[in-house]
Amino acid sequence: MISTTSSTAEMVTQGKVQISSPDNIEDKTSGRLGCCGWLLVFISMFFVLATFPFTIFTCLKIVQEYERAVIFRLGRISDKKAKGPGLFFVLPCTDTFVKVDLRTVSFDIPPQEILTKDSVTVSVDGVVYFRIYCPISAVANVSNAHSSTRMLAQTTLRNVLGTKNLAELLSDREGISHSMQEALDEATDSWGIKVERVEVKDVKLPLQLQRAMATEAEASREARAKVIAAEGEMKASRALKEASLVIAESPSALQLRYLQTLTHVAAEKNSTIIFPLPIDIMQHFINRK
């Protein structure tokens, strides 16, 4: 007796003692039907054999290629893997099954009134694409996988956008969608759901804010236009300065420029044109007289 106690004490000190909790005991016995359960199963099988082939129509079930069937036998999941696609066998009175659709499902997130990080109220909606990859988890771990995912998507949208300011919300939609997808995928993993894609559809701003942003954008465009016009005037003045230096080297170049300007003006509109005539041209005729 003393040796047993000492060995137990050594195991406790070394951390080797494993105490079975009630949850572990329940998990080990969750897949067992018990004597009464097996008795009911045998009675059901005997009833099927006794009434064959009439009961064959109630025992054989069909699921489509995109569906899986989770079978419950006396309220317990009979197999770790879902049945399907095609034919599968169930026992009457003891077996029930739930069909699960594995196709990708999409739903719209209703418009949510969200207060951004910089205290701006906006209305945002989106769309989510998801599919069920584990039918057993989708049936056993959550009561309604589709409805739960919809409600979780609404709260996730509000939580993610609440940490963004208005500029990030309008410019970084791809990053916001990626953050929402990661958050939803992590939360729904235990439900057997894979979130494939999340998109922000529309961001509605208050009317007063739209007017203020339009005024700001218009003022910014006008300021840029004035800067561009000033830069053009500066470049034009430099070009004129260089042209004046070139013309100053040859007086006849100025006269040729007068004639060229006259030609361009006369080609556009037929009208009387008055332009200054330099005295230098007339001086030659005065001297000849």
Side-chain angles (χ1 to χ4, degrees), residues 18-32:
Q18 296 181 355
I19 301 175
S20 297
S21 62
D23 295 337
N24 294 334
I25 297 174
E26 184 179 356
D27 292 340
K28 293 179 180 179
T29 60
S30 60
R32 301 177 183 176

Side-chain angles (χ1 to χ4, degrees), residues 103-279:
R103 293 176 295 182
T104 299
V105 180
S106 63
F107 65 88
D108 293 328
I109 303 176
Q112 304 292 314
E113 293 289 337
I114 298 171
L115 184 65
T116 61
K117 189 176 181 180
D118 49 355
S119 301
V120 178
T121 303
V122 295
S123 178
V124 184
D125 59 353
V127 60
V128 178
Y129 300 87
F130 72 95
R131 62 179 176 86
I132 295 176
Y133 71 91
C134 182
I136 294 179
S137 299
V139 173
N141 294 347
V142 61
S143 61
N144 191 331
H146 293 263
S147 178
S148 300
T149 305
R150 285 186 174 89
M151 290 186 289
L152 183 62
Q154 296 179 20
T155 57
T156 303
L157 178 65
R158 300 172 73 93
N159 294 336
V160 171
L161 296 185
T163 61
K164 306 290 183 180
N165 54 38
L166 182 60
E168 294 175 345
L169 179 59
L170 296 177
S171 61
D172 191 20
R173 291 193 180 187
E174 184 176 355
I176 293 173
S177 301
H178 185 66
S179 300
M180 286 186 58
Q181 180 182 355
E182 290 182 348
L184 280 174
D185 196 18
E186 182 180 359
T188 57
D189 185 64
S190 60
W191 300 345
I193 293 176
K194 172 65 178 177
V195 179
E196 296 180 340
R197 191 177 183 85
V198 178
E199 292 291 342
V200 176
K201 291 175 60 178
D202 190 17
V203 179
K204 296 181 180 179
L205 302 177
L207 185 59
Q208 294 180 353
L209 182 60
Q210 293 181 17
R211 293 175 179 174
M213 293 179 66
T215 304
E216 181 182 1
E218 184 178 359
S220 178
R221 287 193 297 269
E222 291 179 355
R224 287 197 299 269
K226 290 180 180 179
V227 171
I228 294 172
E231 292 178 352
E233 292 291 339
M234 182 177 61
K235 293 179 180 179
S237 63
R238 290 177 180 175
L240 289 174
K241 179 182 178 182
E242 295 177 359
S244 64
L245 294 176
V246 174
I247 293 175
E249 296 177 356
S250 177
S252 61
L254 181 61
Q255 308 304 325
L256 294 175
R257 183 60 181 168
Y258 281 154
L259 296 175
Q260 185 179 8
T261 303
L262 179 62
T263 303
H264 284 292
V265 173
E268 293 180 359
K269 293 183 179 180
N270 296 324
S271 58
T272 304
I273 302 171
I274 301 175
F275 66 97
L277 183 66
I279 301 299

